[in-house]
Amino acid sequence: MKRLFTTFILAFFTTLLFGQTAKTKQQDKVKPFVLGEIVELQSKELAEKRVLNIYLPEGYSKSDTVKYPVIYLLDGSADEDFIHIVGLVQFNSFEWINQVPKSIVVGIATVDRRRDFTYPTTISEDKKKYPTTGHSDKFIAFLGNELQPFIEGKYKTNSSKTIIGQSLGGLLATEILFKKPALFNKYIIVSPSLWWDNGSLLNQAPAVLKNSFKQQTDVYIGVGKEGLTLTAEPRVMEVDANVLADKLKTAKSKNVHVVFDYLPKEDHATIMHQAVLDAFRLIYPTPAKE
């Protein structure tokens, strides 16, 4: 009887040990799913370290001669727009779709949107409500003087540079288009917060409207059914976006191509994904050639 019991105990622990070993081997086969890489860039312009989420297209290799367009994404944190925008880029660059060329995506993780994406306002109520606002000049300097040179030095890039911004990010993209248009040659502006400073940006006469403007520039402006802004002087976001599009369409230069896209089934919260998908189709109206 004792021998039988001992044999049973040995068999039990042998089976348990084998099961644990098999389970361990099974767990060892699990590997992380890697979408891209995370890079930190110390900025002198902003006096802080900024986190960048980088997506490199399939086939990217430092050893070959292929160079890629770069898409710069505002609000590019992993829990913001980086993952789903990368999905759109990858999908549209599949060889059987070939709508967008294979591209590098640079997601700029958010620190303080109101500080980075707004210029100084004359509205005293907004100054009190949002005390950190009004430093977009520093962020634009960061983009042009630090971020773009860093990306171009570290990765295999060509001259195509796109910026994607929504809401306050759309306001910033519009400001760049008006003040530093050469920073990008494709602008995807979604539901821009042009109400900032009571729409003062719309009153400017940017260089992009002049006949002397030579850079080929594509501008997509998308807006949903968004209604009145909750500001001291309410504005209608759809109207402001339409005014922006109409203003840009008066450009005397033939190098400026503007598309206005009204999406009545979307609102401020839902528009981003659909608008960027539309932008890729409208900015690249024919299959992309790499």
Side-chain angles (χ1 to χ4, degrees):
M1 186 67 180
K2 288 183 179 181
R3 288 182 179 178
L4 182 61
F5 179 75
T6 302
T7 301
F8 172 77
I9 292 296
L10 288 173
F12 173 77
F13 279 106
T14 299
T15 302
L16 181 62
L17 182 61
F18 176 78
Q20 289 177 336
T21 301
K23 186 177 181 181
T24 300
K25 288 182 178 179
Q26 186 176 6
Q27 289 176 341
D28 289 343
K29 293 180 181 179
V30 176
K31 296 180 180 180
F33 179 81
V34 179
L35 182 64
E37 57 190 44
I38 300 173
V39 179
E40 291 185 337
L41 175 60
Q42 182 64 45
S43 169
K44 292 182 180 178
E45 299 285 357
L46 299 173
E48 65 187 11
K49 187 176 290 184
R50 298 302 295 245
V51 174
L52 309 172
N53 295 308
I54 312 291
Y55 164 78
L56 300 175
E58 182 183 3
Y60 180 92
S61 173
K62 292 181 179 180
S63 62
D64 64 29
T65 59
V66 179
K67 294 185 177 181
Y68 298 87
V70 183
I71 297 173
Y72 292 87
L73 174 65
L74 303 174
D75 296 317
S77 299
D79 59 352
E80 293 176 307
D81 294 322
F82 181 72
I83 294 174
H84 75 98
I85 295 301
V86 164
L88 288 175
V89 173
Q90 183 204 40
F91 174 79
N92 280 281
S93 64
F94 282 143
E95 62 180 12
W96 55 90
I97 296 174
N98 201 28
Q99 184 65 46
V100 173
K102 290 182 178 181
S103 302
I104 298 168
V105 180
V106 178
I108 309 166
T110 299
V111 173
D112 183 343
R113 299 176 79 249
R114 293 192 178 275
R115 179 198 70 184
D116 292 339
F117 298 170
T118 63
Y119 52 87
T121 180
T122 58
I123 310 300
S124 57
E125 184 177 329
D126 287 342
K127 291 180 183 178
K128 293 178 182 178
K129 191 174 182 180
Y130 311 111
T132 65
T133 58
H135 298 286
S136 59
D137 57 336
K138 293 182 178 179
F139 192 79
I140 293 171
F142 161 69
L143 293 177
N145 299 337
E146 297 178 328
L147 180 57
Q148 287 186 352
F150 173 78
I151 294 298
E152 290 162 10
K154 185 175 176 62
Y155 301 100
K156 300 178 70 63
T157 67
N158 62 26
S159 60
S160 177
K161 292 176 285 189
T162 300
I163 185 169
I164 301 177
Q166 192 251 348
S167 192
L168 287 177
L171 174 69
L172 179 74
T174 305
E175 184 183 1
I176 295 171
L177 176 63
F178 277 22
K179 297 179 179 178
K180 298 281 187 180
L183 281 183
F184 302 95
N185 44 35
K186 287 182 171 54
Y187 289 79
I188 298 177
I189 300 171
V190 182
S191 299
S193 297
L194 297 169
W195 53 263
W196 182 253
D197 193 35
N198 199 27
S200 64
L201 192 61
L202 291 172
N203 298 325
Q204 296 189 12
V208 72
L209 299 182
K210 298 178 181 178
N211 187 50
S212 57
F213 187 75
K214 301 300 182 183
Q215 176 182 279
Q216 182 63 46
T217 303
D218 297 305
V219 183
Y220 167 92
I221 301 166
V223 66
K225 194 173 182 62
E226 311 194 36
L228 292 174
T229 59
L230 301 176
T231 53
E233 297 183 33
R235 301 177 67 93
V236 181
M237 293 193 73
E238 297 95 306
V239 172
D240 281 345
N242 215 326
V243 169
L244 173 62
D246 287 344
K247 186 181 185 74
L248 291 170
K249 286 178 181 179
T250 66
K252 296 179 180 179
S253 172
K254 294 181 180 180
N255 297 315
V256 180
H257 173 235
V258 182
V259 174
F260 178 74
D261 189 18
Y262 178 50
L263 296 94
K265 294 183 179 180
E266 309 297 340
D267 58 29
H268 201 68
T270 65
I271 190 172
M272 183 65 163
H273 193 90
Q274 185 61 53
V276 174
L277 178 61
D278 285 0
F280 286 161
R281 291 171 176 167
L282 294 169
I283 288 180
Y284 302 97
T286 57
K289 302 298 181 182
E290 294 188 37

